[in-house]
């Protein structure tokens, strides 16, 4: 689901474009050992760091150091980590997940969206930002302002409340439940 096994292909594309990078991977997951093995040569060159799970007090400091936030998930509900990164001004580069990332990210304005698995175009977006630091700063500012205006706790709570009220106001469904057998 998290799509982390796309990272070796992305890193290879970054190398193909001669983009200098340091990838910091936060979190934990079932694919950690497999991912470490696939990224071994870049880990040895100190281009990749595995930070493990961060506690809530470490997240702001981590995000403060990030220019680009790679979001390779294949599907999500509410992508809280993505929203946190955007509020911090990290430029998100993500797969296009219909109804999720295409709602959260305005392609080219507050980040970049790509077809799932398209590491070459994802690397091209990073190359573009690496070559044009003014563009990076502009999109970073747009990202932060947009996320802070659209995804505040108050607005999120009001949206959830509206959904609940709308569901409660629907007439009961007319159906007969099947027996457990």
């Amino acid at each position: 689901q998290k799509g982390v096994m796309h990272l070796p292909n992305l890193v290879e594309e970054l190398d193909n474009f001669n983009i200098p990078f340091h990838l910091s991977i936060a979190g934990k997951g079932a694919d950690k050992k497999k991912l470490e093995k696939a990224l071994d040569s870049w880990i040895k060159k100190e281009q990749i760091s595995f930070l493990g799970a961060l506690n809530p007090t470490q997240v702001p400091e981590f995000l403060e150091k990030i220019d680009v936030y790679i979001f390779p998930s294949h599907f999500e509900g509410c992508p809280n980590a993505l929203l946190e990164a955007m509020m911090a001004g990290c430029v998100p580069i993500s797969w296009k997940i219909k109804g999720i990332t295409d709602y959260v990210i305005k392609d080219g304005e507050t980040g970049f969206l790509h077809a799932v698995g398209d590491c070459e175009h994802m690397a091209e977006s990073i190359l573009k930002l690496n070559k044009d630091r003014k563009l990076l700063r502009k999109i970073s500012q747009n990202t932060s302002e947009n996320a802070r205006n659209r995804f505040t706790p108050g607005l999120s709570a009001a949206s959830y409340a509206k959904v609940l009220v709308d569901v409660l106001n629907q007439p009961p469904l007319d159906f007969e439940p099947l027996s457990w057998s």
Side-chain angles (χ1 to χ4, degrees), residues 24-30 32 36 49-60 62 84:
S24 298
I25 300 173
K28 58 182 181 173
K32 183 180 181 209
E36 285 176 326
S49 302
F50 281 82
L51 307 177
L54 302 178
N55 70 48
T57 62
Q58 294 172 306
V59 172
F62 169 72
E84 290 172 358

Side-chain angles (χ1 to χ4, degrees), residues 99-158:
I100 304 296
T101 58
D102 63 348
Y103 174 76
V104 173
I105 300 169
K106 295 179 182 179
D107 191 33
E109 293 178 36
T110 63
F112 297 92
L113 295 170
H114 300 286
V116 173
D118 191 351
C119 293
E120 181 180 353
H121 286 106
M122 192 177 262
E124 286 174 356
S125 293
I126 296 169
L127 176 63
K128 182 178 183 177
L129 296 172
N130 185 56
K131 285 183 173 182
D132 189 345
R133 304 307 272 185
K134 284 183 182 179
L135 178 63
L136 173 67
R137 285 189 297 275
K138 179 184 175 194
I139 294 177
S140 170
Q141 184 175 357
N142 290 348
T143 300
S144 179
E145 287 175 8
N146 185 275
R148 289 172 184 269
N149 289 331
R150 291 177 63 207
F151 304 109
T152 66
L155 289 174
S156 297

Side-chain angles (χ1 to χ4, degrees), residues 12-65:
E12 193 170 308
E13 292 294 340
L14 294 174
D15 270 352
N16 291 341
F17 286 118
N18 294 313
I19 301 170
F21 70 91
H22 182 87
L23 178 63
S24 298
I25 300 173
K28 58 182 181 173
D31 293 321
K32 183 180 181 209
K33 294 289 184 201
K34 185 176 171 185
L35 186 59
E36 285 176 326
K37 184 176 179 182
L39 295 171
D40 186 59
S41 63
W42 294 283
I43 293 168
K44 287 178 180 169
K45 292 186 279 185
E46 298 182 352
Q47 288 180 277
I48 297 177
S49 302
F50 281 82
L51 307 177
L54 302 178
N55 70 48
T57 62
Q58 294 172 306
V59 172
E61 183 181 334
F62 169 72
L63 293 175
E64 185 178 294
K65 298 174 188 173

